[in-house]
Amino acid sequence: MSDLPPSGSTEPAASGPPADPTAPPPPAADPAPGPSGATGGATPGSGASGADPWAGHTGPVPIVPDQPGYDSPHPGAPNPAGQPAWGAPPGWTAPGDGPPGHTPQGWNAPGTPPQGWNAPGTPPPGWGGPAYPGYPMPGAAYPVPGAAYPVPAGPGTYAGWFPGIDPQDPLVNPPHAGIGPWSARCLAALRRGWRQLLPIVLLTQVVPAAVIGVLTLVFSPEGELATAPDGAPVLPADFWGQMLAFYGVLLAAGLVFGLLQAAGWAAGTWVVARQAAGEPTGLGAAFRYGLRRALGLWGWTLLVSLLVMIGSCFCLLPGLYAAFALALFGPVYLFERREPIGRAWRMFHSRFGMVLGRVALVMAVLVASTVLDAVVGGISGAVFGVEPMTAVGTAIGAVALAVFGALLAAPAYLAQQVGLVVTYAEQRAQEGPVNAARLAAELG
């Protein structure tokens, strides 16, 4: 017989003395953990039934999966210190597994953003923004996406953003921009449109004023007050007839020329708005638009004039207050076509100081022109007498001075035309986003 073991046997060859069958079994060796799915690693469940394979073990107990592909450790089995949980990525430590006071790597407290995360609308670290002039203003805050207008916080600085408003709009003064940009837009509108605005003002404002001035010279009552023997004043002959004719002619001229003046205001507003929007403006098209809107604007002008006159009958201050509070009725009617008196009144009182300041500047120019006209009238009376129409020479001189006084008022008419339109556009911007293109489209 051969001493070799049978072929295929896995039992190792015995070496040394034979084992004593009566000796107790040797203590079990610590099992070594094997890789997941290995067949050669021992498990706590392998061995004799009822025997505790970990009896007497003092070191950490390894976590061995029950079966391949199952990532959960044994229920109740402790995790070895410094070892990652089964299936966790390398370098990750579960909260509470490290020493006291140690924060695991890559772990964030509840409610705190992860590292490297930026809030929406904030620039990434190290981003400096586009270079000026693409940026609104040197030193400005980073704009929130979708914002368009920086709200100024002081001279030359901006603290926030007002959406939907272009700070470079040639007609609309942005909210909180102040009186300086408002004045600059008025002057810019005059520079752009004086070639169209000047003929409109001369034809629709200066000519009616000159004609009314000449009619005043022709129909003013003649004669002087006389004194009766008892010392009572005596009216000149036919005084009341002359007064009735004088005021009747002025009223008729005011009504007729009022319609022409309304057409001029509408035409001038059309020119200012369309030129600011970059659209073509022809003098003929401006007059056609003015004539189309003249009747409605003329009617509202009569009503506002009546209200101012009623206020002046009680006292000068109520009439002046009504003139200031209703100064924007014309642009309101032309742009919005609804309740011009109510809208102008609300605009004035909702931003009292702002509208009062703008309208006061316009009124100051009108008052200055009125003072100049009064000075010219005083010169005419001093040179040609109180009844200049009695002689040809004095009549020609008086008429020439009346026309000259009307011409002196042309800059005041231009300032009134432009100033009220820019003031109205600024008040619209206080209520919501608006620009010159939208205002030009609203005129129709």
Side-chain angles (χ1 to χ4, degrees):
M1 294 179 62
S2 173
D3 293 335
L4 297 176
S7 176
S9 174
T10 59
E11 182 179 355
S15 63
D20 188 1
T22 63
D30 292 342
S36 176
T39 57
T43 64
S46 62
S49 176
D52 185 3
W54 308 109
H57 184 73
T58 59
V61 180
I63 300 175
V64 182
D66 290 332
Q67 55 185 349
Y70 184 72
D71 293 336
S72 298
H74 288 279
N79 186 28
Q83 298 294 328
W86 193 265
W92 184 88
T93 306
D97 286 349
H102 172 72
T103 302
Q105 182 180 3
W107 183 82
N108 294 281
T112 61
Q115 297 180 0
W117 183 84
N118 293 286
T122 59
W127 188 84
Y132 186 81
Y135 210 53
M137 185 67 65
Y142 178 75
V144 177
Y149 168 64
V151 178
T157 61
Y158 290 86
W161 293 81
F162 194 93
I165 299 295
D166 181 10
Q168 305 301 325
D169 191 278
L171 180 62
V172 180
N173 193 33
H176 313 292
I179 193 68
W182 175 86
S183 303
R185 282 170 170 81
C186 292
L187 294 176
L190 285 175
R191 287 194 298 267
R192 286 192 304 267
W194 69 270
R195 291 178 179 82
Q196 290 82 19
L197 292 176
L198 186 58
I200 293 173
V201 166
L202 290 176
L203 182 60
T204 63
Q205 311 298 328
V206 173
V207 169
V211 172
I212 291 177
V214 173
L215 291 177
T216 301
L217 293 174
V218 173
F219 291 94
S220 60
E222 298 178 355
E224 297 180 358
L225 292 176
T227 303
D230 57 355
V234 177
L235 296 175
D238 199 20
F239 175 79
W240 292 110
Q242 292 181 11
M243 289 294 294
L244 182 62
F246 174 73
Y247 284 107
V249 169
L250 291 184
L251 180 61
L255 292 176
V256 173
F257 289 123
L259 187 61
L260 179 61
Q261 289 174 330
W265 290 123
T269 303
W270 185 85
V271 169
V272 171
R274 285 181 63 89
Q275 284 188 342
E279 300 179 7
T281 55
L283 198 58
F287 276 115
R288 285 193 296 271
Y289 174 82
L291 292 174
R292 191 167 68 249
R293 305 297 302 278
L295 188 59
L297 184 59
W298 178 63
W300 286 109
T301 303
L302 292 178
L303 183 56
V304 170
S305 301
L306 180 62
L307 293 175
V308 173
M309 186 173 61
I310 292 174
S312 301
C313 291
F314 290 99
C315 184
L316 179 62
L317 188 58
L320 189 62
Y321 185 84
F324 274 83
L326 302 178
L328 296 179
F329 81 94
V332 170
Y333 169 74
L334 293 174
F335 286 99
E336 302 182 27
R337 299 179 179 84
R338 59 184 179 93
E339 52 170 351
I341 292 179
R343 279 280 290 154
W345 184 272
R346 289 193 295 273
M347 279 186 176
F348 180 76
H349 290 90
S350 61
R351 289 167 292 276
F352 180 80
M354 180 185 298
V355 182
L356 179 63
R358 277 43 165 185
V359 175
L361 290 176
V362 175
M363 293 293 185
V365 177
L366 292 176
V367 170
S369 69
T370 303
V371 171
L372 287 176
D373 185 63
V375 170
V376 172
I379 295 174
S380 176
V383 174
F384 305 110
V386 294
E387 297 180 0
M389 305 307 291
T390 56
V392 177
T394 56
I396 293 175
V399 169
L401 283 180
V403 173
F404 178 71
L407 285 173
L408 288 178
Y413 293 134
L414 289 172
Q416 183 183 12
Q417 173 77 82
V418 173
L420 293 181
V421 174
V422 176
T423 301
Y424 169 79
E426 182 184 38
Q427 302 315 304
R428 285 286 300 273
Q430 297 285 336
E431 300 173 351
V434 71
N435 54 21
R438 176 177 173 180
L439 291 176
E442 289 180 359
L443 285 175

